[in-house]
Amino acid sequence: MANVGRNTPVRKFDAVVVGAGGAGLRAALQLSEAGLKCAVLSKVFPTRSHTVAAQGGVGASLGNMGEDNWNWHMYDTVKGSDWLGDQDAIEFMVRTAPEVVIELEHFGMPFDRNEDGTIYQRPFGGHSMNFGEKPVQRSCCAADRTGHAMLHALYQRNVRANTQFFVEWMALDLIRDPSGQVLGVTALEMETGEVMVFHARATLFATGGAGRIYTSTTNAFINTGDGLGMAARAGIPLEDMEFWQFHPTGVAGAGVLITEGVRGEGGYLLNKNGERFMERYAPNLKDLASRDVVSRAMATEIKEGRGAGKEGDCVLLKLDHLGAEVIDKRLPGIREIAKKFANVDPVKDPIPVVPTVHYQMGGIPTNYHGEVVVPKNGNANSVVPGFYAAGECGCASVHGANRLGTNSLTDLLVFGKASGDSIIRFLKENPGLKDLPKDAGDRSLSRLARLESQTNGESYAEVAKDMRRTMQMHCGVFRFPDTLAEGVKKIREISDRVTRTEIKDKSKVFNTARIEALELDNLIEVARATMVSADARTESRGAHDRSDHHERDDVNWLKHTLWYKEGDRLDYKPVNLKPLTAESIEPKVRTY
Amino acid sequence: MDVVEFNRLRWNCRRGLLENDLVLEKFLERHAESLDDVHLAALNKLLELDDNSLWALLSGRTEYPEGSGSEIYEILALLRAC
């Protein structure tokens, strides 16, 4: 069994970074190069982080392909966010973007190049010149391996800078002293099953998203929202968790994306009656209507009982009429994906698809320095000393209600570096290491002890399955007040069941059952935050649409949601419409 | 394979790309119990690849270089059938 004794070992660091994807590695590099003693904890080897899945590139207004500037990038990002993004953070991100891209180039990132040696930039949806006038080429890529190349460059550089990696370690809980200051984390070493305290002067979470709360997600299995769960248990609220970006055509049950090119080439969607239903929802554009329109139509068909499949929870993407030759030639890879993940050959049979969760816009609330901020004594953004968050797990908030393509990598580079710089400043101003509170490891040890001693409990895998199904059915892209209210009730029941999960395997070394049960503790907090926040927000903004309030409602809802685990309660704080130096971009109707 | 070895392998199958996660999960369900040491070593060799290269191999877009022992091609064939 795990070490639940009183003599938990302690190691001391200047900073501990949890997560070794793009944000964690960028922050750690800043710290180690400043000569600080920095530990990075990761569940998997750093170059296997989910950042590897990013293909779209990094958005930065380098202007290598023609005129571009940060004001235009800022406008696109604010508009993309459906005005929920904080404009100070957005200005900071787009102004810093060129600098962090050039730095990355100097770290050895093999960007695609122009003939004159400058970084080549691709066009990407939502990015424009002159405030929405026409498309601009702003995305910096390394072939179709941008994420991988970035991880590789940053990891090598960290090794050189003597960052201490703790690979196959899972952080369990945040340590706060009675004043609320953060003093590190507890973590489990998978190899031994031992728990250790990482006592640190500063703690950064860069744990990525939690797409695994849904049945259908493009996220890898490791994306279990560990940082969000730890923050929520430690009394930190989670911001804007109702905002998740969906892609309309993910393979049902698997989540793997089917490119929009399939519909571009003439593929179309059918309900269980074989009806081409998009003709009813979008008579002109039909299956080529925008992502949110198609996703909304699909969700309506499923909700009204016309969904296909055994459980009636998907629709069908038909492309057999295109013929094998067109499919093989114009849509490479699609046949392999359909055969492998849907068990159908699209040359003969349609592919079952559903709107699929792709990116988490919300997260741990931070300012644009990467410092975690919470409401305290009348200040909506009071800094939590010693605590930082960056990347998908943080909410600065630059993506607001909908993220623009390529801004995820921009986000993790800019805020990874900025939080590193903030930590360096904080450590200069606050020398010495405060003592650990007496109860430092208690929360983690009692969670582990509970798992060890639980009998007659439920299988964690079963409870996790129910959680995912509930999120998928009750809190998808198109939201209905009745199903949301029922979803809140259900997810609270499932949350109770999570406290009684049981693992059969109690072995110590590499016990993956224990790890997955601990991951579920994190997932359920994210699921509950999402459902409760979504139920309360009676408007449609950005990524989702609500059936009883189809419009954005700036009078009542131009504000950020804050969900607290304690009491399962909500609070709100204003959106910052005031940039650092630029003029405010006032809310208006979002059309493309 | 004992429990620890299996658990270690299972964790090694946690990847950065969902496509790889899904294929490897199915592979473990079907074949983990019958893997001998030689084939386990071959699988671990494939798992050392970065996620993009691994997915290119699993989906049949690329081939493993010729000249390795037959077990690696046998494992690859089983993975591709998952």
Side-chain angles (χ1 to χ4, degrees), chain A residues 225-537:
Chain A
D226 298 334
L228 282 77
M230 288 188 277
R233 281 193 296 277
I236 306 286
L238 302 181
E239 179 174 348
D240 292 340
M241 290 308 299
E242 62 270 48
F243 295 101
W244 290 82
Q245 190 167 60
F246 289 78
H247 190 289
T249 55
V251 174
V256 178
L257 281 188
I258 301 285
T259 163
E260 268 146 340
V262 168
R263 280 170 289 139
E265 290 293 338
Y268 53 82
L269 296 162
L270 299 175
N271 63 20
K272 75 168 181 188
N273 304 320
E275 182 202 0
R276 188 175 177 183
F277 60 86
M278 281 312 300
E279 291 178 335
R280 270 190 283 121
Y281 296 90
N284 295 321
L285 288 176
K286 296 176 189 160
D287 299 84
L288 295 176
S290 66
R291 278 184 184 180
D292 53 337
V293 173
V294 177
S295 295
R296 198 181 313 158
M298 290 166 71
T300 307
E301 289 298 300
I302 292 165
K303 180 171 192 273
E304 293 179 355
R306 293 187 295 279
K310 247 186 264 171
E311 304 199 17
D313 55 1
C314 62
V315 299
L316 301 170
L317 178 59
K318 175 181 152 69
L319 58 156
D320 60 297
H321 55 285
L322 301 177
E325 203 179 317
V326 170
I327 294 172
D328 288 342
K329 203 168 149 195
R330 310 273 279 277
L331 300 165
I334 293 301
R335 215 167 155 185
E336 287 73 27
I337 285 177
K339 280 184 189 169
K340 216 174 249 314
F341 299 116
N343 207 21
V344 298
D345 184 350
V347 166
K348 298 183 207 128
D349 297 301
I351 310 170
V353 291
V354 285
T356 297
V357 161
H358 188 52
Y359 187 87
Q360 163 195 304
M361 265 78 71
I364 300 166
T366 73
N367 56 24
Y368 68 87
H369 303 295
E371 297 166 319
V372 174
V373 290
V374 299
K376 195 178 173 184
N377 302 331
N379 175 5
N381 293 299
S382 164
V383 171
V384 178
F387 192 27
Y388 305 80
E392 193 170 340
C393 83
C395 183
S397 134
V398 287
H399 309 304
N402 179 55
R403 177 179 65 85
L404 214 57
T406 78
N407 269 353
S408 54
L409 293 184
T410 313
D411 169 346
L412 59 82
L413 286 175
V414 169
F415 294 106
K417 183 185 181 191
S419 53
D421 284 336
S422 299
I423 291 173
I424 292 166
R425 274 196 306 275
F426 176 76
L427 296 187
K428 266 189 198 142
E429 289 160 12
N430 297 275
L433 182 61
K434 284 176 84 175
D435 288 340
L436 283 173
K438 287 207 169 54
D439 62 354
D442 284 9
R443 186 184 285 116
S444 297
L445 296 179
S446 66
R447 281 171 66 208
L448 287 166
R450 203 275 305 159
L451 264 180
E452 295 307 320
S453 59
Q454 183 74 48
T455 51
N456 299 319
E458 276 188 274
S459 134
Y460 68 89
E462 281 304 310
V463 180
K465 206 169 150 190
D466 282 352
M467 172 195 68
R468 296 191 173 105
R469 198 180 293 146
T470 302
M471 294 308 297
Q472 193 74 27
M473 290 304 288
H474 293 266
C475 201
V477 66
F478 196 34
R479 296 171 183 176
F480 307 87
D482 52 339
T483 44
L484 277 170
E486 203 189 329
V488 169
K489 200 170 143 251
K490 278 192 184 173
I491 211 74
R492 282 176 177 156
E493 284 164 13
I494 292 168
S495 189
D496 283 340
R497 288 165 61 197
V498 171
T499 64
R500 296 188 300 273
T501 50
E502 184 179 350
I503 51 172
K504 299 290 179 200
D505 177 4
K506 311 257 162 123
S507 64
K508 198 166 167 177
V509 177
F510 249 98
N511 186 332
T512 51
R514 178 183 295 127
I515 294 160
E516 288 177 11
L518 292 167
E519 286 176 332
L520 180 58
D521 286 351
N522 297 325
L523 284 164
I524 192 64
E525 303 303 346
V526 181
R528 205 149 52 118
T530 299
M531 190 76 84
V532 171
S533 304
D535 178 49
R537 186 174 281 270

Side-chain angles (χ1 to χ4, degrees), chain A residues 43-44 47-50 52-53 55 144-145 148 168 190-191 212 217-222 224 254-256 336-337 340-341 460 505 507 509-513 515-516 519, chain B residues 3-4 6-23 25-26 44 47-56 58-61 79-82:
Chain A
K43 293 194 292 187
V44 297
T47 51
R48 285 189 199 169
S49 304
H50 191 52
V52 81
Q55 296 179 348
D144 60 350
R145 295 187 170 206
H148 172 73
E168 293 176 339
M190 296 181 191
E191 179 72 45
R212 301 302 307 176
T217 171
T218 63
N219 285 195
F221 291 1
I222 48 176
T224 55
V256 178
E336 287 73 27
I337 285 177
K340 216 174 249 314
F341 299 116
Y460 68 89
D505 177 4
S507 64
V509 177
F510 249 98
N511 186 332
T512 51
I515 294 160
E516 288 177 11
E519 286 176 332
Chain B
V3 176
V4 172
F6 173 74
N7 279 340
R8 203 185 295 272
L9 173 64
R10 192 160 167 255
W11 197 255
N12 211 3
C13 290
R14 288 268 204 128
R15 310 297 302 197
L17 283 184
L18 177 66
E19 286 84 343
N20 291 333
D21 276 341
L22 294 169
V23 171
E25 182 183 47
K26 206 181 269 181
N44 277 318
L47 292 176
E48 283 170 18
L49 292 169
D50 70 79
D51 277 297
N52 291 297
S53 303
L54 181 61
W55 173 238
L58 298 188
S59 64
R61 270 192 291 126
L79 282 165
R80 284 177 174 176
C82 282

